Amino acid sequence: GGAVGTFPDEIGTADLTQGTGSAQPAFQSSVAALGTRATVKSDGADWVGPTTITIITQPFSVVVVESGASAGSLLVSTAGDLGWCFYMSGGVWLANAGSTISGGSADSGAHMLRFYANGASSKLAEDETVVVTGNAGTYGAGPIQLFRIPAPGFNSAAHLAFVGIYAGDVTTDPKWASFKAWAATHYGLTIA
């Protein structure tokens, strides 16, 4: 339950930080919906970021393992409202890299979400079932922040267990099948 001031970047290039104690999300050591694994939880007013990473140009992929999102939840965004991933509205997931695509049956359960930003060939997948394809725009990814876009004030009450950004289409990486199997086993998810 302690406040989280840093969400570490495992390759050591750009940790997400939040120096304001009252805005720090809370560490959760065990979340039943995610295989009793640890998460970082926002109460809807907490957020971390943005990073100082250089913007990653399209195509890129964002992968998130989450639980507990509700209407109005925003999980990942870029600074300055330049794009966002996995915003829940009207019972669907939305993603935006300058234009919005939406689909799926968004709920508060545990999911692995994937946004592939590639202009008119963009895709949004929930538990590795592609729920929408279309034109998500041409914006790049970065600097990244979690749970919030400061400008319009969107906030998210949700648990984040994993956030990954990949330059390119992550599904073409030779290790993608192994990652999916790990995520399904580690977090107790059903992934296609």
Coordinates of all heavy atoms in Angstrom, one line a residue, residues 7-11 14 16 38-40 48 51 53 61-66 74-77 85-86 111-113 144-147 159-166 179 182 187:
F7 N 8.2 4.2 -11.3 CA 7.8 3.0 -12.0 C 8.9 2.6 -12.9 O 9.1 3.3 -13.9 CB 6.5 3.3 -12.8 CG 5.7 2.1 -13.3 CD1 4.7 1.6 -12.6 CD2 6.1 1.5 -14.5 CE1 3.9 0.5 -13.1 CE2 5.4 0.4 -15.0 CZ 4.3 -0.1 -14.3
P8 N 9.8 1.7 -12.5 CA 11.1 1.5 -13.2 C 11.0 1.0 -14.6 O 10.2 0.1 -14.9 CB 11.8 0.5 -12.3 CG 10.8 -0.1 -11.4 CD 9.6 0.8 -11.4
D9 N 11.9 1.5 -15.4 CA 12.1 1.0 -16.8 C 13.1 -0.1 -16.7 O 14.2 0.1 -16.3 CB 12.6 2.2 -17.7 CG 13.0 1.7 -19.0 OD1 12.8 0.5 -19.4 OD2 13.6 2.5 -19.8
E10 N 12.7 -1.3 -17.0 CA 13.6 -2.5 -16.8 C 14.8 -2.5 -17.7 O 15.8 -3.2 -17.4 CB 12.8 -3.8 -17.0 CG 11.8 -4.0 -15.9 CD 12.4 -4.1 -14.6 OE1 13.4 -4.8 -14.4 OE2 11.8 -3.5 -13.6
I11 N 14.9 -1.7 -18.7 CA 16.1 -1.6 -19.5 C 16.9 -0.4 -19.1 O 18.0 -0.1 -19.7 CB 15.9 -1.6 -21.0 CG1 15.0 -0.5 -21.5 CG2 15.3 -3.0 -21.4 CD1 14.9 -0.4 -23.0
A14 N 14.5 5.1 -19.0 CA 13.6 6.2 -18.7 C 12.6 5.8 -17.7 O 11.4 5.6 -18.0 CB 12.9 6.7 -20.0
L16 N 9.6 6.1 -15.1 CA 8.5 7.0 -14.8 C 8.6 7.4 -13.4 O 8.7 6.6 -12.5 CB 7.2 6.3 -15.1 CG 6.9 6.0 -16.6 CD1 5.9 4.9 -16.7 CD2 6.5 7.2 -17.3
A38 N 1.9 -8.5 -8.1 CA 1.9 -7.1 -7.7 C 1.5 -6.1 -8.8 O 1.6 -6.4 -10.0 CB 3.4 -6.7 -7.3
T39 N 0.9 -5.0 -8.4 CA 0.5 -3.9 -9.4 C 0.8 -2.6 -8.8 O 1.2 -2.4 -7.6 CB -1.0 -4.0 -9.7 OG1 -1.7 -3.6 -8.5 CG2 -1.4 -5.3 -10.1
V40 N 0.7 -1.6 -9.6 CA 0.6 -0.2 -9.1 C -0.8 0.3 -9.4 O -1.4 0.1 -10.5 CB 1.6 0.7 -9.9 CG1 1.4 2.2 -9.6 CG2 3.0 0.2 -9.7
V48 N 1.9 8.8 -12.8 CA 3.3 8.9 -12.9 C 3.7 9.2 -14.3 O 3.1 8.9 -15.3 CB 4.0 7.5 -12.5 CG1 3.9 7.3 -11.0 CG2 3.4 6.4 -13.3
T51 N 8.0 10.4 -18.9 CA 9.4 10.0 -19.0 C 10.1 11.1 -19.9 O 9.4 12.0 -20.4 CB 9.6 8.7 -19.8 OG1 9.0 8.8 -21.1 CG2 8.9 7.6 -19.0
I53 N 12.0 10.0 -22.4 CA 12.5 9.3 -23.6 C 12.2 10.1 -24.9 O 11.2 10.8 -25.0 CB 11.9 7.9 -23.7 CG1 10.3 7.9 -23.9 CG2 12.3 7.0 -22.5 CD1 9.7 6.6 -24.2
S61 N 4.3 -0.5 -30.8 CA 3.3 -1.3 -30.1 C 3.4 -0.9 -28.6 O 4.5 -0.6 -28.0 CB 3.6 -2.8 -30.2 OG 3.6 -3.2 -31.5
V62 N 2.2 -0.8 -27.9 CA 2.1 -0.6 -26.5 C 1.4 -1.8 -26.0 O 0.3 -2.1 -26.5 CB 1.4 0.7 -26.1 CG1 1.3 0.8 -24.6 CG2 2.1 1.9 -26.8
V63 N 1.9 -2.5 -25.0 CA 1.3 -3.7 -24.3 C 1.1 -3.4 -22.9 O 2.0 -2.9 -22.2 CB 2.2 -4.9 -24.5 CG1 1.5 -6.1 -23.8 CG2 2.4 -5.2 -26.0
V64 N -0.1 -3.6 -22.4 CA -0.4 -3.3 -21.0 C -1.1 -4.6 -20.4 O -2.0 -5.2 -21.0 CB -1.4 -2.1 -20.9 CG1 -2.0 -2.0 -19.5 CG2 -0.6 -0.9 -21.2
V65 N -0.8 -4.9 -19.2 CA -1.6 -5.9 -18.4 C -2.2 -5.1 -17.2 O -1.5 -4.4 -16.5 CB -0.7 -7.0 -17.8 CG1 -1.5 -7.9 -16.9 CG2 -0.1 -7.8 -19.0
E66 N -3.5 -5.1 -17.2 CA -4.3 -4.3 -16.2 C -5.5 -5.0 -15.7 O -5.9 -6.0 -16.2 CB -4.7 -3.0 -16.9 CG -5.7 -3.2 -18.0 CD -7.2 -3.4 -17.6 OE1 -7.6 -2.8 -16.6 OE2 -7.9 -4.1 -18.3
L74 N -8.1 5.9 -18.1 CA -7.0 6.1 -19.1 C -5.8 5.4 -18.5 O -5.4 5.7 -17.4 CB -6.8 7.6 -19.3 CG -5.6 7.9 -20.2 CD1 -5.8 7.5 -21.6 CD2 -5.2 9.4 -20.1
L75 N -5.2 4.5 -19.3 CA -4.0 3.8 -18.7 C -2.7 4.3 -19.1 O -1.8 4.4 -18.3 CB -4.2 2.3 -19.1 CG -5.5 1.6 -18.7 CD1 -5.6 0.2 -19.2 CD2 -5.7 1.7 -17.2
V76 N -2.5 4.6 -20.4 CA -1.2 5.1 -20.9 C -1.4 6.3 -21.8 O -2.3 6.3 -22.7 CB -0.4 4.0 -21.7 CG1 0.9 4.5 -22.2 CG2 -0.3 2.7 -20.8
S77 N -0.6 7.3 -21.7 CA -0.7 8.5 -22.6 C 0.6 9.1 -22.8 O 1.6 8.7 -22.2 CB -1.6 9.5 -22.0 OG -1.1 10.1 -20.8
C85 N -3.5 5.4 -25.0 CA -3.9 4.0 -25.3 C -4.8 3.6 -24.2 O -4.6 3.9 -23.0 CB -2.6 3.1 -25.3 SG -1.3 3.6 -26.4
F86 N -5.7 2.8 -24.5 CA -6.6 2.1 -23.6 C -7.3 3.0 -22.7 O -7.3 2.9 -21.5 CB -5.7 1.1 -22.8 CG -4.7 0.4 -23.6 CD1 -3.3 0.5 -23.3 CD2 -5.1 -0.3 -24.7 CE1 -2.4 -0.2 -24.1 CE2 -4.1 -0.9 -25.5 CZ -2.8 -0.9 -25.2
H111 N -7.0 -7.9 -18.0 CA -6.7 -8.1 -19.5 C -5.3 -7.8 -19.8 O -4.6 -7.0 -19.2 CB -7.6 -7.1 -20.3 CG -9.1 -7.4 -20.1 ND1 -9.7 -8.5 -20.6 CD2 -10.0 -6.7 -19.4 CE1 -11.0 -8.4 -20.3 NE2 -11.2 -7.4 -19.6
M112 N -4.9 -8.3 -21.0 CA -3.7 -7.9 -21.7 C -4.2 -7.1 -22.9 O -4.9 -7.6 -23.7 CB -2.8 -9.0 -22.1 CG -1.5 -8.5 -22.7 SD -0.3 -9.7 -23.1 CE -0.9 -10.2 -24.8
L113 N -3.8 -5.8 -23.0 CA -4.2 -5.0 -24.1 C -3.0 -4.7 -24.9 O -1.9 -4.5 -24.4 CB -4.8 -3.7 -23.5 CG -6.0 -3.9 -22.6 CD1 -6.4 -2.5 -21.9 CD2 -7.2 -4.5 -23.3
I144 N 6.1 9.1 -22.2 CA 5.0 8.3 -21.7 C 4.7 8.7 -20.3 O 5.5 9.0 -19.5 CB 5.4 6.8 -21.8 CG1 5.7 6.4 -23.2 CG2 4.3 5.9 -21.2 CD1 4.6 6.5 -24.2
Q145 N 3.4 8.6 -20.0 CA 2.9 8.7 -18.6 C 1.8 7.7 -18.4 O 1.1 7.3 -19.3 CB 2.5 10.1 -18.3 CG 1.5 10.8 -19.2 CD 1.5 12.3 -19.1 OE1 2.2 12.9 -18.3 NE2 0.7 12.9 -19.9
L146 N 1.6 7.4 -17.1 CA 0.6 6.4 -16.8 C -0.6 7.0 -16.0 O -0.3 7.9 -15.2 CB 1.2 5.3 -15.9 CG 2.4 4.6 -16.5 CD1 3.0 3.6 -15.5 CD2 2.2 4.0 -17.8
F147 N -1.8 6.6 -16.3 CA -3.0 6.9 -15.6 C -3.6 8.3 -15.9 O -4.6 8.7 -15.4 CB -2.8 6.9 -14.1 CG -2.5 5.5 -13.5 CD1 -1.3 5.3 -12.8 CD2 -3.3 4.4 -13.7 CE1 -1.0 4.1 -12.3 CE2 -3.0 3.2 -13.2 CZ -1.8 3.0 -12.5
H159 N -5.5 -0.9 -11.9 CA -4.3 -1.5 -11.5 C -3.5 -1.7 -12.8 O -4.0 -2.2 -13.8 CB -4.5 -2.9 -10.9 CG -5.2 -3.0 -9.6 ND1 -4.5 -3.0 -8.4 CD2 -6.5 -3.0 -9.3 CE1 -5.3 -3.0 -7.4 NE2 -6.5 -3.0 -7.9
L160 N -2.2 -1.4 -12.8 CA -1.3 -1.7 -13.9 C -0.2 -2.7 -13.3 O 0.5 -2.4 -12.4 CB -0.6 -0.4 -14.4 CG -1.4 0.5 -15.3 CD1 -0.6 1.7 -15.7 CD2 -1.9 -0.2 -16.5
A161 N -0.1 -3.8 -14.0 CA 0.9 -4.8 -13.6 C 2.1 -4.8 -14.6 O 3.2 -5.1 -14.2 CB 0.3 -6.2 -13.6
F162 N 1.9 -4.4 -15.9 CA 2.9 -4.4 -16.9 C 2.6 -3.4 -17.9 O 1.5 -3.3 -18.4 CB 3.0 -5.8 -17.6 CG 4.0 -5.9 -18.7 CD1 5.4 -6.2 -18.4 CD2 3.7 -5.6 -20.0 CE1 6.3 -6.3 -19.4 CE2 4.6 -5.6 -21.0 CZ 5.9 -5.9 -20.7
V163 N 3.6 -2.6 -18.3 CA 3.5 -1.7 -19.4 C 4.8 -1.8 -20.3 O 5.9 -1.8 -19.7 CB 3.4 -0.2 -19.0 CG1 3.3 0.7 -20.1 CG2 2.2 0.0 -18.1
G164 N 4.6 -2.1 -21.5 CA 5.7 -2.2 -22.4 C 5.5 -1.4 -23.7 O 4.4 -1.4 -24.2
I165 N 6.6 -0.8 -24.2 CA 6.6 -0.1 -25.5 C 7.6 -0.7 -26.4 O 8.7 -1.0 -26.0 CB 6.9 1.4 -25.3 CG1 5.9 2.0 -24.3 CG2 6.8 2.2 -26.6 CD1 6.3 3.3 -23.8
Y166 N 7.2 -1.0 -27.6 CA 8.1 -1.7 -28.5 C 8.1 -1.0 -29.9 O 7.0 -0.6 -30.4 CB 7.5 -3.1 -28.8 CG 8.3 -4.0 -29.7 CD1 9.3 -4.9 -29.1 CD2 8.0 -4.1 -31.0 CE1 10.0 -5.7 -30.0 CE2 8.7 -4.9 -31.9 CZ 9.7 -5.8 -31.3 OH 10.4 -6.6 -32.2
F179 N 6.4 -14.6 -24.7 CA 5.9 -13.5 -23.9 C 4.4 -13.7 -23.6 O 3.9 -13.6 -22.4 CB 6.1 -12.1 -24.5 CG 5.4 -11.0 -23.6 CD1 6.1 -10.5 -22.5 CD2 4.2 -10.6 -23.9 CE1 5.5 -9.6 -21.7 CE2 3.6 -9.6 -23.1 CZ 4.2 -9.1 -22.0
W182 N 4.0 -16.5 -21.1 CA 4.4 -16.1 -19.8 C 3.3 -15.2 -19.2 O 2.9 -15.4 -18.0 CB 5.7 -15.3 -19.9 CG 6.0 -14.6 -18.6 CD1 6.6 -15.1 -17.5 CD2 5.7 -13.2 -18.2 NE1 6.7 -14.2 -16.5 CE2 6.1 -13.0 -16.9 CE3 5.1 -12.2 -18.9 CZ2 6.0 -11.8 -16.3 CZ3 5.0 -10.9 -18.3 CH2 5.4 -10.7 -17.0
Y187 N 0.0 -14.0 -14.9 CA -1.1 -13.2 -14.5 C -2.4 -13.9 -14.4 O -3.5 -13.3 -14.1 CB -1.2 -11.9 -15.3 CG 0.0 -11.0 -15.2 CD1 0.9 -10.8 -16.3 CD2 0.3 -10.4 -14.0 CE1 2.0 -10.0 -16.1 CE2 1.4 -9.5 -13.9 CZ 2.2 -9.3 -14.9 OH 3.3 -8.5 -14.8

